[in-house]
Amino acid sequence: MMGELIARNLLHRPLRTLIGAMGIAVEVALVVLIVGLTSGLLTETAKRIEGIGADIMLQPPNASFLVGITSAPMPMKIGDKLAELKYVQSVAPALFLFNTSGVEVVYGIDPESFRAVSGGFVFLQGHDLEGPDDILVDDIAAKTKKIHAGETFRIFDHDWHVAGIVEHGKGSRLFVPLSTLQDLVGARDKTSVFFVKCTRPEHTEDVMESMRHLIPGYTVRPLKDYLSLMTSTNIPGLESFINSMILLAISIGLMVIFLTMYTTVIERTRDIGVLKSLGANHWFVIRALLSESAALCLLGIAAGVGLSYVVRAGFLWKFPSLTILITSGWVLRAAGIALIGAMLGASYPAWMASRKDAVEALSYD
């Protein structure tokens, strides 16, 4: 009986049911996509840095683990000292420069040393860096920017010759000669970071200890743990932003459910009077309205999950370099948040309906 009553009530006003479900869908999609975008970008960035193949990353004192937000305060001669340490196979300096026009970090590299640490690029077009104005572009950036080998690409008010298109996953999406980038930013013989490759992975801790004694105060990080650092809690302001977006999504869902159920109660005043005159008690009325809210919410959750995948597909089609990570864990959390919000939003209208007097409700016009 209860199931049939809920179904008939939802189908009685199909447009209102659709609007209510879409409000919940927007709430679910907003939570899933905001978290998916931030976690996806962090995870993808961490994997690209780990994909360089180095065992250790040396940064300036008190440097953030976020690459690309520091300048180039480290002298290049440090690299010579690192190369002399026991168990060090190769050392590659890299200068980072943030490209605001493309919202990306450009790596200035020495091709030979970077190849020794990373194992080299996989070329899809063209060849390695040879001239001072050469640039390498990974396949995702090439697709996004519609770049091909042999063309000219302009960043930092400088025209670069696209020497090659490489497979993604080696740190940056854009690579230029280290010396050229140093000249452009006025950082001659300076670098942002040193990537260190050990003779064997098990020697990493020994090399890190030697580095700390050789240059005390500098930041030494093992790259195998880099992925664990790239979380919203470790990035200032990001977790607050995510929580704010989730709160906004909850507010949207709560208001939609509240308005939907409030208007439902007003429109069904006589129906509620009939139910009460037939013997329905307060709890029956409350249970009926809350069950209807839950059913509406479940429809919205299903639509929201589908909407999340559709929006993600649209974003990835338009911006291939984006990474939006939709996980089952956050889908379930978003569903739980929506369901709790729906129950809270429907509580007052349900309580208001249960207190209506049967005689007054039947006389309501």
Side-chain angles (χ1 to χ4, degrees):
M1 176 181 173
M2 181 66 73
E4 183 180 356
L5 179 63
I6 293 171
R8 288 182 178 276
N9 286 339
L10 291 176
L11 294 175
H12 184 65
R13 294 284 190 272
L15 182 59
R16 185 173 61 194
T17 298
L18 177 63
I19 293 173
M22 288 310 299
I24 298 297
V26 170
E27 173 187 1
V28 172
L30 185 59
V31 172
V32 171
L33 290 173
I34 288 295
V35 175
L37 179 60
T38 52
S39 61
L41 288 175
L42 293 176
T43 301
E44 193 266 345
T45 300
K47 286 183 176 179
R48 279 194 284 121
I49 293 176
E50 289 185 343
I52 292 173
D55 296 304
I56 304 169
M57 181 169 64
L58 177 70
Q59 294 177 277
N62 302 317
S64 169
F65 66 92
L66 293 173
V67 299
I69 63 173
T70 58
S71 55
M74 291 196 298
M76 290 283 291
K77 61 183 180 180
I78 291 179
D80 298 329
K81 295 181 180 180
L82 296 177
E84 296 173 355
L85 293 176
K86 187 179 180 181
Y87 301 132
V88 171
Q89 176 179 308
S90 51
V91 179
L95 176 60
F96 300 146
L97 187 59
F98 190 73
N99 175 28
T100 55
S101 62
V103 193
E104 60 208 351
V105 178
V106 179
Y107 279 24
I109 62 171
D110 170 61
E112 185 177 349
S113 63
F114 194 81
R115 188 184 307 115
V117 168
S118 66
F121 295 105
V122 176
F123 284 87
L124 306 178
Q125 296 180 28
H127 53 79
D128 208 343
L129 298 173
E130 295 177 354
D133 296 323
D134 283 350
I135 186 172
L136 296 180
V137 183
D138 83 350
D139 52 344
I140 294 179
K143 180 180 179 181
T144 304
K145 303 175 187 296
K146 297 179 173 57
I147 300 173
H148 298 88
E151 296 181 347
T152 299
F153 181 56
R154 186 173 181 83
I155 53 171
F156 308 135
D157 294 324
H158 186 86
D159 290 326
W160 303 87
H161 170 257
V162 181
I165 307 298
V166 300
E167 192 175 86
H168 65 277
K170 294 286 186 180
S172 180
R173 299 200 184 280
L174 303 173
F175 302 86
V176 299
L178 176 60
S179 57
T180 305
L181 194 60
Q182 287 173 332
D183 291 338
L184 284 177
V185 300
R188 172 58 62 181
D189 295 326
K190 299 288 185 179
T191 187
S192 303
V193 70
F194 287 100
F195 293 109
V196 179
K197 182 76 172 178
C198 301
T199 53
R200 296 178 66 87
E202 54 264 31
H203 294 151
T204 299
E205 291 298 328
D206 294 331
V207 174
M208 290 176 60
E209 190 64 28
S210 298
M211 291 170 64
R212 293 188 181 102
H213 283 91
L214 178 67
I215 41 177
Y218 280 68
T219 303
V220 182
R221 301 185 193 277
L223 280 192
K224 65 181 178 63
D225 297 333
Y226 197 81
L227 185 60
S228 63
L229 296 174
M230 295 291 279
T231 61
S232 60
T233 55
N234 288 333
I235 299 179
L238 183 57
E239 188 172 24
S240 298
F241 169 75
I242 293 175
N243 291 336
S244 299
M245 291 298 100
I246 291 176
L247 182 60
L248 174 63
I250 293 173
S251 301
I252 293 173
L254 194 149
M255 287 188 294
V256 167
I257 285 292
F258 177 83
L259 290 174
T260 300
M261 300 315 297
Y262 187 82
T263 55
T264 296
V265 169
I266 292 177
E267 289 182 358
R268 296 178 188 163
T269 299
R270 291 179 61 86
D271 296 342
I272 293 171
V274 171
L275 287 174
K276 286 202 165 189
S277 66
L278 293 175
N281 57 23
H282 296 335
W283 292 113
F284 181 89
V285 175
I286 291 175
R287 186 159 60 92
L289 290 173
L290 291 183
S291 297
E292 183 176 336
S293 299
L296 183 63
C297 185
L298 291 177
L299 291 174
I301 290 171
V305 174
L307 180 63
S308 300
Y309 282 97
V310 170
V311 172
R312 184 181 72 166
F315 269 106
L316 295 182
W317 174 77
K318 184 68 175 178
F319 308 103
S321 59
L322 280 181
T323 301
I324 302 177
L325 186 63
I326 297 180
T327 63
S328 57
W330 268 104
V331 168
L332 292 175
R333 290 182 194 176
I337 290 171
L339 189 58
I340 293 173
M343 294 300 98
L344 292 175
S347 295
Y348 176 73
W351 175 81
M352 182 179 68
S354 69
R355 292 179 59 84
K356 288 185 178 296
D357 180 79
V359 176
E360 292 182 359
L362 286 171
S363 62
Y364 181 82
D365 187 5

